[in-house]
Each structure stands twice: as C-alpha cells, then as structure tokens.
Amino acid sequence: MPAPAPTGAAQPQQNNSSSTIKSILQSLAIFAVAQFAITNVTKFIGSRNQSSAPAGVSPELSFNAKPDSATGNEEYNPVPQQIAPIWPTNSSLDISIYVSPSLVMPALSHAPIDSLILEEKNFIMGDWKENRQIDTTFPVPKEVQDQGTLWAHFYVALHGHALDPTMRDYNVATAYHFFRPLNQMNAKKKVAKTKKLLGNSNVTEEQVEPVLSGPVFASYYHPNFTMSFVPDSGYQSYVQMHPAVRQHLTLEATGARDKTGQIGWYYPILYVNTFWQLRSHMIELNDTVKTLPIHITLNNLNNWKFSLYASIDESVKQNQKNVANGGTVGAAGDGSEFEQIKSVIMDTNVYLLGTTAIVTVLHMVFEMLAFKSDISHWRNKKDNVGISVRTILANVAMQTVIFLYLMDNMDGTSWMILFGQGMGIVLEAWKITKTVNVRIRDAPPDSMIPYRVTFEDKHQLSDTEKKTQEYDQIAFRYLYLVAIPLLGAYAVYSVLYDSHKSWYSFVITTLVGSVYAYGFLMMVPSLYINYRLKSVAHMPAKAMTYKFLNTFIDDLFAFTIKMPTLHRLATLRDDVIFFVYLYQSWAYKVDYTRVNEFGQGGDDEELEEKTANKPLAARPEADAGVEMPGAGAGAGAERAAKVTGVEKKGAAKRR
C-alpha cells in the first residue's frame, strides 16, 4: 500500500443511516471472496503461461542468441506470439524519472534540473528486500495547470550503461525508455446548490455557476505512487494476455524475433501502481497549484499481484468513465462503493478487518433469518391481539420518507440500498393487509375528495383485541406529546439555520432526520401493549432477536468508524428497547411448546395432539342422536362422551 495521504485530505461525510454500513460490509465480503478467487485463478494461469513454451524453445531464450536479421525470415510475425524477458531476473538496474508536459523529451543533459524527481542506482530486480522511499517536490508546468497531462518519463538501464537515448553509446539491448501519465481526468462530483429558504441567502446570482448539460471533467493528481518491477513475469503468450496487463509491457525496440519469427522479447515491467489511490486524497490541478509533492515507493512485486491489481484497477476506471459519460450504473455501481472498500482496508487494523469479515457474514445471515421469521409469523397469525396497527402504518410512512430521501440524494445512494428500502416498504404494507381490510369507500357528501381509504376489521373483535386497540390508542396519545414537539423544534431549527435545495428537500430532510433520531419511539407502543396485556406471546420473538443482533453488530461498527460522540451514543437507542423487551420476556413467561392464550404456538406438539386440539366443526352433542348400524343408544352416548373428552383435552392444552 502507498504511504498515507496528507492529513489535509477531506474526510468523507458520515451517513446517519446504518444502511451505508451494511452496504460497506456486504461489499467487503464480496470483495474478499472475489480477491481470493482471482488470486488463485491468476496463480494457476500464470504458472501455465510460464511453463507452456512451444516445443524446442527454452523459456529462458537469450536475447543475445537471436539471429542477426529476423526480418528477412519468411515466417517473421510483426506481432510476437510469445515473449520472453530480455534481461535476467537478478539484473542490477539504474532508474531515472523526469516529469514534463510533453511526450518529447530533450537530451537529459539539457532537461530542467527540477524536472528530475527520481534517480536511483544499482536497484536489484528480484530482491524482495529492496524497498526504497523517495520524497521530493517539483514545480507544476503551465500546461498542466491548464488541464494538460503531466507525463513521467522513465529511463531504465542495466547498471553502468547509458540512460539517455541521445547519447552515442546508448544501446536498446541494455536500456529502454517509456512514459506514463501522473495525473488523470475525472468527472467532478456533482455538488447540489443549496440556499437558505428564509432570510438572505449567502449565494448571490453572480456566484451561481452555469448549469452544464454534460459531466464536467477536471485534472486530478495523487501525491503517492508505488512503482514496482515485476521480476517473475517470465515467458508469456503475448496474444492471450489480458489487455489491462498487456498495456504495461514494453516490447524490445528493434522488433527482433527468434529463428522461428514468432517469439520476441520484452523489457522488465515497471508497474506504476495506482490501485490504492483514493479520490478523496487527490488534488485538483489548476492555476492556483504552483508546486506538487510526490512520494515514491520503489520495490518488487509478484506477477500474480500485478495481474490482479492491473485488471481490477482498469475495470473500475473503465466503469467510472462509462458512468461519467452518461452510461447506466451497473451492478458494480459508479466506483464509490469500491472507493469505500479501499478506504476501510487502508485505514483499519488488520485484526479489526478480520473481525469485520466474520461479522459481515453473521450480519447477512441474521438479516435473512429475521426476514424469514417475520414472514412466517405474520402468515400464521390469526388475530390482532397485541398488534399495534398504528405502529405498522407509522413504519410504512417512515420507510417511505427514507426512500424519498434516498431518491432525493441519488448521487450518493447505491441501487442495492434503494432495493432493500423498497422491499421493506412492501413488507410493511403486506402486514397491513394481514391485520385489517383496506377498502376504498365513498367519502362524506361535504368532502372535496370523492373517495377515501378506510381500514376495516377482518372479523368481529374479541375482548382482548378491543383492549389492544384501546392500549394502542393510549400509547400513541402519549407518543404524540413527545414526538410532535421534537419534530416541530427540529423543523424550525432546520429552516432557520440549515441550507436546502428546495422546500421539498427541506420537508424530506426534516422528516428523515426525525425518523433517524426518534424512529425507535415506534417500538414504545408495542412495549406498552405488552405491559397492559401482561404477555409477550403475540410478539415475533425470533424475528426480533435476529433484528436486535444486527443492531448490536451495527453498534460495533459505529464505534470503529469516525463519527461524533453524540451519534455514537444515538446508536444505543434501539438497544434500550431490546433490553426492555428482554425484561418483559422474563417477567411474562411463555411456553412456546404449548398453544398460548391467543391460539398461537404449539410448534413442538405431535400431529395427533394438534389434530385433537383443532376446534370442532359441529357441537359435541350433534352425534348423540345419530344411530349407527349395529349399535344402540348406549354406544352413541359413549361416542359423544369420547368426543366431549377430546374437546376438554384440547381446551386444557390451549390453556
């Protein structure tokens, strides 16, 4: 990894929603699996490529043993089919790097002194202990300030040989030159224009930038570079190489071939590794930037790591370009998720990172089990005892507000987050249909709207269900006394002191801020109903346990990610609700192996006992007057007594 970026780099803004943490964790797990798979596949392919030389040709084919003139060979191929290293693996090298706004370099003796940023002698290629650190600064050319390209010219030669191509004793068999860009053109991140909705805004008409139809690109520079030689690349099939890897190769300058005309040579690969460069650490180049720092790490890199870094980095950059040019955002996103993954890997302790990988798997398992248990509980529920219908409606409203907020901030929202939020809304809406009948009825005569949506009971309510409705109403009455003043105070503060894109954005932002801050209050009515009913048998215990386990996992990462202390304390709010529920579960004991007072449970009963506990389709005395062939009235009475006994047994089990 490169050295840490300057301390002045901007810190990413922390999101109050745990959905961002979940997205990072899931992406980390996917990245770890993909890295493991690609690593092993690359090792296998690399080993095959290095050992698959054609018959009669040695993989260590010497450049000095080449024919004097391969171009006269009728079998000469302009594109080599296979390539071999031109220098031995343990060669001692001299390296010089110059920066310039031009691709054409003068004689090195006439190059500006301050353009030389690296000059190293006797670097041993293949020595894994070689790790040289170079820190320097250089002036920024005027062309680069005007969004030109800053080129780095690499001059590499065997130790003691000439580096300058303009010198008389320069030999392409012992030296080579290539160039790479040090800056990159990236699309500027869209910044939403905000203003004060009341009072004088700080943004005047002269300060408002014109709105452009397409993406705006700018030149960016990262001060950290890792430049690595790849000594074990070996014998390769040039035509079958991955394009992302092939672009880093420099073929022998004269186009020489072996006696078959198919095999060429290549100079040592010097990979300019930009894989670990983060957008948040980059400097935008303009006329205000006069000098730039640069930190270079010069070392050796395994071939399989080089192939992995090059292919992934190129894929991410191509995807970012497509999205910036108006292309669709694919499953891999616009690259921001991958940036977050790299940031977490670079800034997190290795032990904490290992714990993260394990907990990520647990988080996804608990989430899946919670979803399954919640669906199963509501599918089997036959009454509304202990159910707060108002809480379900409030959950639909709150999740809809969060969904609209995410839509209002689409630039920083992943499609995975939007899909998960939409599925949550659908699940809560389905719960409403399981609790009440949703009907469209004619509105009263004096209403401006001809129709209205009503919620009607599915059946005549029992005394316990009526008590549930009463307790639900009481709980929400007290909840309104707390939540509405808090919402009003937050809205007044936001409209006076915060800036917003529009009044719509203000409403959505205020509501979602209240949801994040006070959403845990929606569980209070259910706790109050449990207290008044002195029972928790109607609660989806398994689903709640899985959800709260995920809450504890989110708490763990809230204390490992940089954020304000007050926000860390806010993550404990759901834990308070869970501990109250645990106390209620202890106080109001439930035997889940038996049918409870609400007709639920009995999961461990045998099939015959469950059949016996089913309600009778007819009255017990209905069989008393039925005369069976070959049996008298005594037999009929005996059968009736048995049926009555079965009913009493079922009633006892329900108790």
Side-chain angles (χ1 to χ4, degrees):
M1 296 183 188
T7 56
Q11 292 287 347
Q13 183 179 4
Q14 298 296 336
N15 194 335
N16 289 339
S17 172
S18 62
S19 298
T20 302
I21 299 177
K22 189 194 318 181
S23 175
I24 295 176
L25 298 181
Q26 292 174 342
S27 300
L28 271 173
I30 295 172
F31 175 76
V33 173
Q35 187 180 33
F36 176 79
I38 294 175
T39 296
N40 286 276
V41 171
T42 308
K43 281 183 177 180
F44 175 73
I45 294 177
S47 62
R48 291 196 61 182
N49 286 340
Q50 293 184 24
S51 60
S52 58
V57 179
S58 172
E60 292 80 23
L61 183 64
S62 174
F63 179 73
N64 297 326
K66 71 181 187 306
D68 293 337
S69 177
T71 55
N73 192 332
E74 295 181 358
E75 300 296 331
Y76 179 84
N77 195 329
V79 179
Q81 300 302 296
Q82 287 84 29
I83 51 177
I86 191 172
W87 298 338
T89 300
N90 58 348
S91 299
S92 178
L93 307 177
D94 296 337
I95 310 106
S96 294
I97 302 178
Y98 291 79
V99 292
S100 171
S102 173
L103 287 175
V104 180
M105 282 289 291
L108 299 185
S109 59
H110 295 86
I113 298 177
D114 53 12
S115 65
L116 177 63
I117 61 173
L118 181 145
E119 186 175 20
E120 293 294 322
K121 303 291 186 180
N122 200 23
F123 179 89
I124 307 300
M125 185 175 63
D127 184 357
W128 304 107
K129 296 180 181 179
E130 284 276 18
N131 190 6
R132 305 188 185 186
Q133 308 288 330
I134 300 94
D135 289 280
T136 187
T137 59
F138 60 91
V140 181
K142 179 64 177 177
E143 297 86 347
V144 177
Q145 292 178 334
D146 296 333
Q147 297 198 0
T149 303
L150 178 64
W151 295 100
H153 290 263
F154 295 80
Y155 296 89
V156 184
L158 293 173
H159 180 57
H161 290 75
L163 285 169
D164 190 353
T166 62
M167 296 179 65
R168 284 180 174 270
D169 56 347
Y170 181 82
N171 187 353
V172 294
T174 59
Y176 68 105
H177 160 244
F178 67 97
F179 44 82
R180 295 284 185 269
L182 293 184
N183 61 335
Q184 49 187 286
M185 300 298 293
N186 293 328
K188 281 188 174 183
K189 187 176 181 180
K190 296 180 181 179
V191 179
K193 298 297 180 182
T194 59
K195 60 182 179 179
K196 292 286 185 63
L197 299 178
L198 297 179
N200 294 327
S201 175
N202 295 329
V203 180
T204 61
E205 292 184 0
E206 290 77 16
Q207 292 173 323
V208 177
E209 298 180 1
V211 179
L212 302 178
S213 58
V216 179
F217 289 88
S219 177
Y220 289 89
Y221 168 83
H222 197 287
N224 293 338
F225 288 90
T226 300
M227 300 180 182
S228 306
F229 282 97
V230 184
D232 59 341
S233 53
Y235 191 89
Q236 299 281 346
S237 174
Y238 184 72
V239 294
Q240 296 179 357
M241 293 182 70
H242 194 288
V245 176
R246 187 190 303 164
Q247 66 179 346
H248 296 284
L249 262 71
T250 303
L251 296 179
E252 190 270 333
T254 64
R257 299 289 182 270
D258 72 328
K259 60 183 179 181
T260 66
Q262 305 297 316
I263 300 176
W265 289 267
Y266 66 97
Y267 297 108
I269 301 173
L270 180 53
Y271 175 48
V272 181
N273 190 354
T274 61
F275 183 86
W276 296 107
Q277 293 183 354
L278 300 179
R279 287 282 300 270
S280 58
H281 296 167
M282 290 185 178
I283 303 171
E284 183 179 351
L285 300 180
N286 49 44
D287 55 3
T288 64
V289 181
K290 304 300 181 182
T291 60
L292 286 173
I294 187 169
H295 174 87
I296 299 175
T297 300
L298 186 64
N299 57 20
N300 291 284
L301 184 69
N302 292 107
N303 183 52
W304 68 268
K305 289 184 180 180
F306 158 64
S307 301
L308 177 67
Y309 288 150
S311 57
I312 294 180
D313 194 35
E314 182 66 18
S315 175
V316 172
K317 288 181 178 178
Q318 288 296 331
N319 189 58
Q320 289 176 338
K321 289 180 182 179
N322 293 336
V323 174
N325 291 323
T328 58
V329 180
D334 60 353
S336 58
E337 290 89 352
F338 191 69
E339 286 283 305
Q340 290 177 330
I341 293 173
K342 292 194 294 186
S343 177
V344 169
I345 293 175
M346 292 175 63
D347 300 336
T348 307
N349 180 275
V350 62
Y351 298 106
L352 182 59
L353 195 61
T355 304
T356 300
I358 297 173
V359 173
T360 298
V361 177
L362 295 177
H363 192 284
M364 290 187 289
V365 170
F366 289 149
E367 187 175 27
M368 180 181 64
L369 292 176
F371 183 81
K372 173 182 175 296
S373 298
D374 207 16
I375 294 291
S376 177
H377 173 82
W378 281 90
R379 285 185 61 187
N380 298 327
K381 195 162 184 61
K382 300 298 188 295
D383 54 44
N384 297 338
V385 174
I387 299 302
S388 175
V389 180
R390 290 178 176 83
T391 297
I392 300 176
L393 293 173
N395 286 337
V396 173
M398 290 191 301
Q399 295 207 35
T400 302
V401 166
I402 295 175
F403 184 82
L404 294 176
Y405 173 76
L406 295 175
M407 292 292 294
D408 192 45
N409 296 270
M410 275 294 295
D411 292 337
T413 305
S414 168
W415 283 103
M416 182 173 62
I417 301 297
L418 284 175
F419 177 77
Q421 191 64 35
M423 289 300 297
I425 296 174
V426 172
L427 177 59
E428 293 295 329
W430 174 74
K431 290 180 182 179
I432 295 177
T433 63
K434 292 290 292 183
T435 307
V436 294
N437 291 324
V438 182
R439 297 288 185 264
I440 299 178
R441 303 298 186 193
D442 293 333
D446 56 345
S447 177
M448 297 179 59
I449 303 175
Y451 300 99
R452 64 176 181 176
V453 178
T454 61
F455 301 99
E456 302 174 355
D457 297 325
K458 287 183 172 291
H459 55 269
Q460 185 175 357
L461 300 182
S462 64
D463 292 339
T464 309
E465 290 175 320
K466 291 179 180 178
K467 288 182 180 180
T468 298
Q469 284 191 346
E470 178 186 352
Y471 301 152
D472 189 23
Q473 186 176 2
I474 295 173
F476 264 84
R477 185 187 308 153
Y478 290 111
L479 187 63
Y480 292 149
L481 295 178
V482 176
I484 292 179
L486 291 175
L487 176 60
Y490 179 68
V492 171
Y493 174 86
S494 181
V495 75
L496 291 178
Y497 297 102
D498 294 338
S499 56
H500 304 276
K501 292 185 291 185
S502 62
W503 281 101
Y504 169 78
S505 179
F506 158 71
V507 172
I508 293 298
T509 304
T510 303
L511 290 176
V512 81
S514 300
V515 169
Y516 286 146
Y518 317 124
F520 75 105
L521 293 176
M522 288 298 103
M523 280 299 299
V524 174
S526 295
L527 298 180
Y528 179 75
I529 292 173
N530 296 345
Y531 165 72
R532 294 299 298 268
L533 293 177
K534 297 293 187 290
S535 175
V536 293
H538 51 272
M539 299 291 289
K542 291 182 180 179
M544 290 191 64
T545 302
Y546 294 139
K547 289 179 180 179
F548 281 114
L549 285 174
N550 273 344
T551 299
F552 292 143
I553 293 174
D554 291 338
D555 294 343
L556 170 65
F557 290 101
F559 281 87
T560 59
I561 295 175
K562 293 180 180 180
M563 62 179 63
T565 303
L566 289 179
H567 181 65
R568 283 199 177 101
L569 296 177
T571 60
L572 302 176
R573 63 194 184 190
D574 293 336
D575 304 337
V576 175
I577 300 293
F578 180 58
F579 287 126
V580 174
Y581 169 73
L582 286 180
Y583 169 76
Q584 291 183 337
S585 299
W586 172 80
Y588 315 134
K589 298 293 185 180
V590 179
D591 184 3
Y592 288 102
T593 64
R594 301 183 62 189
V595 178
N596 58 39
E597 63 269 32
F598 308 120
Q600 301 171 352
D603 294 335
D604 297 333
E605 290 182 304
E606 296 182 359
L607 181 60
E608 293 81 6
E609 300 227 3
K610 287 190 175 183
T611 304
N613 288 335
K614 286 185 178 180
L616 296 177
R619 294 189 304 275
E621 61 272 13
D623 292 338
V626 179
E627 198 70 36
M628 297 295 294
E638 183 180 354
R639 284 193 299 273
K642 288 182 179 179
V643 173
T644 305
V646 170
E647 183 197 18
K648 290 181 179 179
K649 180 181 177 183
K653 291 293 287 182
R654 284 190 291 273
R655 288 194 296 271

